[in-house]
Amino acid sequence: MKVLIIGHGYWGSKLTDRFVSLLGRKNVIVAELNDINRSMAANKHEVMVTDDFTAYLDNVSACVVATPIRSHYEIAKFCLEMGKHVLVEKPMAMDYSQAQALVALATKKNLVLRTDLTFRFHPLRPIIPHYPLLLQWTGPKSERSPENILWSWGPHPVSLMLGYLVDAPVEVLLSSHGPNTWTIVYKSGELSTTIFMAWGDEFSKLRCYFS
C-alpha cells in the first residue's frame, strides 16, 4: 500500500513520521508547496517529494490531507473523485454541506473517508472523565493558522467531548467574546462538558472541563 501525504507542516510532518514507521519510506510520498518544508520531508524522512499532489495520484491507493483547513474540501473531493481513500484532518470542511457532500461522494464510490481523531486514543483517555480539568494547552502565537481559533483548535476537544457523551447532546451553547475567544458547552442528561478557547496577544490557551 502506498500513501500520499498532502501537506508537510506542523501536523503533516508528524503524520509522515507515523506512516513511514508503518509502511516504510518507499511507500510514502509527500506533496508540499513550501520549499523548506518539502526539503525537510526529503532530508528527514528520505521519502519522495513533490510540489504537485496530482502528479503521483496514480501511484497511491490513499491520500492524507494535512493542509490548511480552508483547502480540505477541494483537495479531499479531488482525491475521492480520483478513486482514492482519504484521511483528512479535522475539520473535514469549513461548511456542513461540503462535509455532507464528501461523505456522499465516498459512499457512492465505495471509498473510505475518515477524519483524524487525534486525542481519542490518548493513553490517559480512560481516566479523564474522573477529573474536572480535562485539558489545558498553551502555545505561542506563531502556531496559529489563518482561521480563527474555533476552526483551528476547536475540532480537537469537540471530537473528544463527543466521544465521552453516552447520549447525543441535547443542548449546545456557543458564546463568543470576540473572533478568537469562544466557549462551547455540551449538555447530555446530567453530563456536561465545557470547552474554553482563547487567543491572546502573545499566547493561546485551550481549556476543557468535564463535569
Side-chain angles (χ1 to χ4, degrees):
M1 177 181 181
K2 286 192 174 184
V3 171
L4 173 65
I5 299 177
I6 306 170
H8 194 267
Y10 172 75
W11 198 249
S13 64
K14 296 181 182 298
L15 291 170
T16 303
D17 276 330
R18 182 55 57 89
F19 278 100
V20 167
S21 68
L22 290 172
L23 304 176
R25 61 178 57 91
K26 292 183 178 180
N27 294 313
V28 176
I29 302 172
V30 171
E32 167 62 52
L33 292 177
N34 183 279
D35 293 340
I36 296 176
N37 290 347
R38 193 166 59 252
S39 296
M40 288 178 60
N43 296 330
K44 178 181 178 182
H45 305 291
E46 299 180 9
V47 297
M48 181 184 295
V49 298
T50 179
D51 61 357
D52 179 8
F53 80 90
T54 67
Y56 291 95
L57 282 176
D58 289 340
N59 302 89
V60 302
S61 56
C63 296
V64 178
V65 182
T67 58
I69 299 167
R70 60 187 180 278
S71 63
H72 283 186
Y73 170 72
E74 292 296 339
I75 294 177
K77 180 175 180 287
F78 186 88
C79 294
L80 289 169
E81 289 175 339
M82 294 296 292
K84 309 303 173 182
H85 303 293
V86 174
L87 172 67
V88 58
E89 283 301 316
K90 301 187 300 295
M92 187 181 297
M94 293 191 69
D95 182 274
Y96 179 63
S97 63
Q98 290 180 341
Q100 286 183 310
L102 290 178
V103 172
L105 179 58
T107 301
K108 178 182 178 180
K109 289 184 167 289
N110 196 29
L111 295 169
V112 175
L113 171 67
R114 295 294 301 270
T115 54
D116 189 1
L117 302 177
T118 312
F119 296 113
R120 293 286 293 275
F121 303 100
H122 193 284
L124 292 179
R125 185 179 185 275
I127 68 172
I128 286 175
H130 303 288
Y131 294 86
L133 178 61
L134 174 61
L135 175 68
Q136 178 169 321
W137 190 89
T138 300
K141 187 176 182 179
S142 61
E143 293 185 6
R144 302 178 185 178
S145 66
E147 297 80 17
N148 70 35
I149 194 170
L150 185 64
W151 291 99
S152 297
W153 285 8
H156 299 292
V158 167
S159 68
L160 188 61
M161 294 298 93
L162 292 176
Y164 285 120
L165 296 177
V166 177
D167 301 315
V170 295
E171 186 177 12
V172 179
L173 307 176
L174 176 65
S175 59
S176 172
H177 308 285
N180 288 316
T181 303
W182 295 82
T183 300
I184 306 174
V185 179
Y186 284 85
K187 293 185 178 181
S188 177
E190 297 181 354
L191 185 65
S192 67
T193 60
T194 301
I195 300 167
F196 171 77
M197 298 168 283
W199 273 344
D201 293 333
E202 299 296 334
F203 289 91
S204 308
K205 292 183 179 180
L206 182 151
R207 298 188 182 97
C208 303
Y209 297 88
F210 191 98
S211 60

